[in-house]
Amino acid sequence: MILPVAGMSLPIVKTLADCADFSKTVSPFIPQLQTLTQQLLHPTTDSESLKSLYLSTNPLISGFALSLFLAPIFLVVSEFNKNYSQVDRCWSILPTLYNAHFTIWAHLNGLPTQRLDSVLAFSCLWSLRLTFNYWRKGGYSVGSEDYRWEVLREKIPPSLFFVFNVLFISLAQSVLLFSITTPTYVLLLASRLTGNPMTTVDIVFSCGMIALVLLEFVADNQQWNYQSAKKQYQKTAKVPPNYEREDLDRGFIVTGLFSLSRHPNFAAEQTIWVLLYQWCCYETLTFWNWTFFGAMSYLILFQASTWFTELVSSGKYPEYAEYQQLVGKFLPKLTGHGVGELRRRAVVKTDANAAAGKKS
């Protein structure tokens, strides 16, 4: 049974398609953004008043408000420290925070939550994997910063970089991390009509996203093990077990999942949030809906980020251009010899250099 307060903060929908209609599920609640801001400017310590405010505000609006609230914090901290990885440090946490927000809000209002609980379970696993990987690479160390921001600062005048920080690093990225979770809001609305039971298709979507997180974890470990072996090799000049000298001399990993895709973890990451979007489309019997904005923005960000990453890698590693020709960026290439050809060329080059050395 839906509590009265939910009726004031959720749209009246009669069909599943209505749940994905922006004009019915979002537009009517936009004025709440201003009302919420005004109420928060007069804070209260009364827990019942805070709970009432939370429950009487549309969950999409309150989640969006939080993403806007965080943007100036990211901006001030990044400019004060001259370290622009503040959003990066929260990247693995915020989407799960938003998914938890939708789920908790639904629980408190007595709404069906099985699908939301499933989304939150996947999201927690996603956060654990990404947070752990970011931590072990030193991302949370004092002064740690994504090397790409440093490269950009060298190419962009300080005044323009400040504008870039305001509009993209601090604001756009904060809103993006909220927008990729907006399909969860649509699932919340759809569950009011369909009820609690998880269908076979729901389970397939949920298990599919969890499987992709596990794929990311495997790719992370392969990358981590390779980089650890490379550092050991550069320090001792001894090839660690299970590695070939030419692979370590190359400077970047081309084995395991990276023999099929140059960025298998990126490919899985993008697919995860597209799957969540597709899940809400399936539940609402629509081919597409407004939450497409979040998934598409995420894809665009990864396309741009990957292009820039590979631009840096191409300048750093001589063989990277060949790797790009032989192995697909995200999806495996159906033709060609792949990494085998890259290794064959490396052996030929090594033999040629050795022969030249003997002649001299």
Side-chain angles (χ1 to χ4, degrees):
M1 180 178 178
I2 300 176
L3 298 179
V5 70
M8 295 186 293
S9 52
L10 287 182
I12 298 175
V13 290
K14 297 181 180 179
T15 67
L16 288 172
D18 287 346
C19 298
D21 189 331
F22 185 90
S23 65
K24 295 179 179 179
T25 62
V26 180
S27 296
F29 301 97
I30 292 177
Q32 284 191 355
L33 189 61
Q34 181 180 358
T35 304
L36 179 63
T37 303
Q38 293 172 344
Q39 290 176 317
L40 291 176
L41 289 176
H42 301 87
T44 176
T45 57
D46 180 18
S47 60
E48 286 301 318
S49 297
L50 291 173
K51 181 179 178 180
S52 177
L53 175 62
Y54 179 68
L55 294 178
S56 62
T57 304
N58 178 276
L60 184 77
I61 297 301
S62 52
F64 180 57
L66 177 59
S67 71
L68 295 178
F69 172 78
L70 291 174
I73 297 177
F74 291 138
L75 176 64
V76 171
V77 174
S78 63
E79 288 296 333
F80 179 80
N81 294 310
K82 295 304 176 183
N83 184 312
Y84 300 90
S85 281
Q86 307 309 318
V87 179
D88 298 336
R89 289 182 170 86
C90 298
W91 198 279
S92 64
I93 300 170
L94 287 177
T96 296
L97 178 64
Y98 294 124
N99 281 328
H101 157 62
F102 288 123
T103 305
I104 292 170
W105 194 94
H107 273 284
L108 291 175
N109 278 295
L111 303 180
T113 59
Q114 276 201 11
R115 291 178 184 83
L116 302 185
D117 292 338
S118 178
V119 171
L120 182 57
F122 131 76
S123 198
C124 287
L125 185 63
W126 176 86
S127 282
L128 286 173
R129 165 256 155 187
L130 189 55
T131 302
F132 170 70
N133 196 52
Y134 192 70
W135 166 79
R136 68 175 171 179
K137 292 193 297 185
Y140 294 109
S141 302
V142 177
S144 173
E145 184 184 40
D146 190 322
Y147 70 93
R148 289 170 293 190
W149 298 136
E150 182 179 354
V151 174
L152 276 178
R153 285 201 302 272
E154 294 174 354
K155 298 179 179 295
I156 301 177
S159 57
L160 289 181
F161 190 83
F162 174 75
V163 175
F164 179 71
N165 186 16
V166 172
L167 298 179
F168 176 74
I169 300 178
S170 298
L171 177 59
Q173 288 193 128
S174 181
V175 173
L176 173 63
L177 293 177
F178 164 74
S179 66
I180 59 175
T181 67
T182 51
T184 309
Y185 172 67
V186 176
L187 289 177
L188 183 156
L189 297 178
S191 294
R192 295 177 73 205
L193 296 180
T194 60
N196 236 343
M198 290 273 286
T199 66
T200 301
V201 176
D202 292 327
I203 295 172
V204 169
F205 274 113
S206 179
C207 291
M209 291 189 295
I210 291 174
L212 287 167
V213 173
L214 296 177
L215 179 66
E216 289 182 304
F217 182 73
V218 171
D220 290 341
N221 275 341
Q222 289 179 352
Q223 180 74 268
W224 175 261
N225 292 337
Y226 172 82
Q227 293 297 333
S228 299
K230 186 176 75 170
K231 289 179 181 178
Q232 181 182 344
Y233 170 65
Q234 291 173 339
K235 184 177 180 180
T236 65
K238 295 180 180 179
V239 178
N242 303 319
Y243 288 93
E244 301 292 336
R245 186 179 299 276
E246 59 267 22
D247 285 333
L248 298 174
D249 286 334
R250 185 180 298 109
F252 57 92
I253 183 172
V254 298
T255 56
L257 292 174
F258 293 85
S259 66
L260 303 173
S261 166
R262 303 200 299 274
H263 305 279
N265 41 4
F266 288 4
E269 177 68 11
Q270 295 171 87
T271 307
I272 282 172
W273 299 105
V274 171
L275 265 184
L276 181 60
Y277 162 70
Q278 288 296 322
W279 191 357
C280 87
C281 286
Y282 172 82
E283 289 297 327
T284 56
L285 306 178
T286 56
F287 289 105
W288 72 281
N289 59 61
W290 62 271
T291 63
F292 172 79
F293 170 80
M296 177 53 67
S297 298
Y298 208 64
L299 294 181
I300 293 172
L301 175 66
F302 266 82
Q303 290 292 335
S305 176
T306 304
W307 171 82
F308 187 63
T309 299
E310 293 205 324
L311 185 66
V312 175
S313 297
S314 298
K316 187 176 181 181
Y317 305 115
E319 293 182 56
Y320 200 82
E322 294 181 74
Y323 181 52
Q324 289 176 300
Q325 294 175 357
L326 297 170
V327 177
K329 181 188 295 184
F330 299 123
L331 301 177
K333 286 190 174 182
L334 300 179
T335 59
H337 300 287
V339 169
E341 176 63 17
L342 185 66
R343 286 178 157 177
R344 187 192 69 79
R345 293 178 185 179
V347 171
V348 170
K349 189 180 298 183
T350 301
D351 291 344
N353 291 337
K358 288 181 181 180
K359 289 181 179 180
S360 59

